[in-house]
Amino acid sequence: MLSEEELRRMSPDERLRLLRALVALDSSEAAAQTAGRRRRAIVLTAIVACCVVLAAWIAVLALTLPPYYRAGDWRGAWVGFDVALLATFAVTGWAAWRRRQILVICLVVLATLLCCDAWFDVVLNAHTKGFQVSLLSALLIELPLAVLAIAGARRLLRMTVAIVRRYEGHQGPPPRLRQARLVGGAPGSDLRDLFREPAETGGEPRDPRSAARTAERPGRPGG
């Protein structure tokens, strides 16, 4: 077991090679599993099937739905939607104030609701007196806020990827999100591991200094 002093005497390149070797050892067993690859193939097949069915359903709706329709409980639908939007704004503000990782999810949900609000406001107010107000509100308020929320979520995700890559021994700027490897999703790993709490898959990483001090403690006599 290397002590903290020995680690300090190593050059940055030596520490980098050691870190890469340790990460490779930790992920070698997961990469050898084949059950995870089968489950991932099943999930991807299900996603493709859902896309095909949804595309067919959109075509059916486009051909059969009437251009005009009198809806019931109009007030409840929009008031309920705005309540959900207000709650999302509040939770997002709390997560940003407390600097919680859930802020990424909150920003994505907020951007989605803002885009939905802009879409339905503009489409449902077409050919009415409130169309111009709805269009200006979408272009000047809702869509810009959605872009800011997505940009914030993207920045936080790239920061997370950069930190993970640094602890894995990689140097340089992080890749684009569409090229970044899923954190915790090593090739061949069990798909269920992505939905487990960290404590179930080995727990949170400990401080290397405390781990080194623990390893240096002498064992009990006869242990």
Side-chain angles (χ1 to χ4, degrees), residues 8-23:
R8 290 181 180 276
R9 287 198 297 267
M10 296 174 65
S11 65
D13 290 338
E14 290 173 339
R15 285 197 294 267
L16 184 61
R17 288 196 298 268
L18 176 61
L19 184 57
R20 287 177 177 172
L22 293 174
V23 172

Side-chain angles (χ1 to χ4, degrees), residues 117-141:
D117 194 12
W119 169 261
F120 286 111
D121 270 344
V122 172
V123 172
L124 296 179
N125 281 326
H127 309 293
T128 66
K129 296 180 180 180
F131 175 73
Q132 292 183 349
V133 176
S134 298
L135 183 61
L136 289 176
S137 174
L139 294 177
L140 299 180
I141 300 176

Side-chain angles (χ1 to χ4, degrees), residues 66-80:
Y68 300 98
Y69 182 78
R70 185 178 180 86
D73 201 9
W74 188 253
R75 180 184 302 171
W78 280 110
V79 170

Side-chain angles (χ1 to χ4, degrees), residues 39-214:
R39 293 189 181 95
R40 187 164 58 251
I42 293 174
V43 171
L44 292 177
T45 303
I47 291 175
V48 172
C50 290
C51 291
V52 173
V53 173
L54 183 59
W57 180 244
I58 290 173
V60 171
L61 292 180
L63 295 175
T64 59
L65 285 180
Y68 300 98
Y69 182 78
R70 185 178 180 86
D73 201 9
W74 188 253
R75 180 184 302 171
W78 280 110
V79 170
F81 183 88
D82 287 339
V83 168
L85 186 59
L86 174 61
T88 306
F89 266 112
V91 176
T92 303
W94 172 85
W97 176 53
R98 300 293 295 177
R99 303 180 67 85
R100 296 291 189 262
Q101 190 70 18
I102 199 175
L103 177 60
V104 178
I105 299 177
C106 293
L107 289 172
V108 174
V109 173
L110 179 62
T112 303
L113 290 180
L114 286 170
C115 289
C116 291
D117 194 12
W119 169 261
F120 286 111
D121 270 344
V122 172
V123 172
L124 296 179
N125 281 326
H127 309 293
T128 66
K129 296 180 180 180
F131 175 73
Q132 292 183 349
V133 176
S134 298
L135 183 61
L136 289 176
S137 174
L139 294 177
L140 299 180
I141 300 176
E142 293 155 348
L143 293 181
L145 288 177
V147 171
L148 288 177
I150 289 295
R154 176 181 178 274
R155 178 175 175 272
L156 291 174
L157 284 174
R158 282 179 58 86
M159 288 174 56
T160 303
V161 171
I163 293 173
V164 171
R165 283 173 54 85
R166 185 176 64 193
Y167 280 101
E168 288 181 346
H170 299 286
Q171 293 179 328
R176 296 181 178 181
L177 288 181
R178 65 173 179 268
Q179 298 172 338
R181 183 168 53 84
L182 188 64
V183 177
S189 60
D190 196 331
L191 191 64
R192 291 175 296 181
D193 291 343
L194 299 178
F195 304 99
R196 292 175 179 169
E197 294 294 331
E200 299 182 39
T201 56
E204 298 181 355
R206 296 185 301 171
D207 186 357
R209 291 176 294 181
S210 62
R213 287 194 294 268
T214 302

Side-chain angles (χ1 to χ4, degrees), residues 213-223:
R213 287 194 294 268
T214 302
E216 291 176 354
R217 292 175 184 171
R220 291 180 299 175

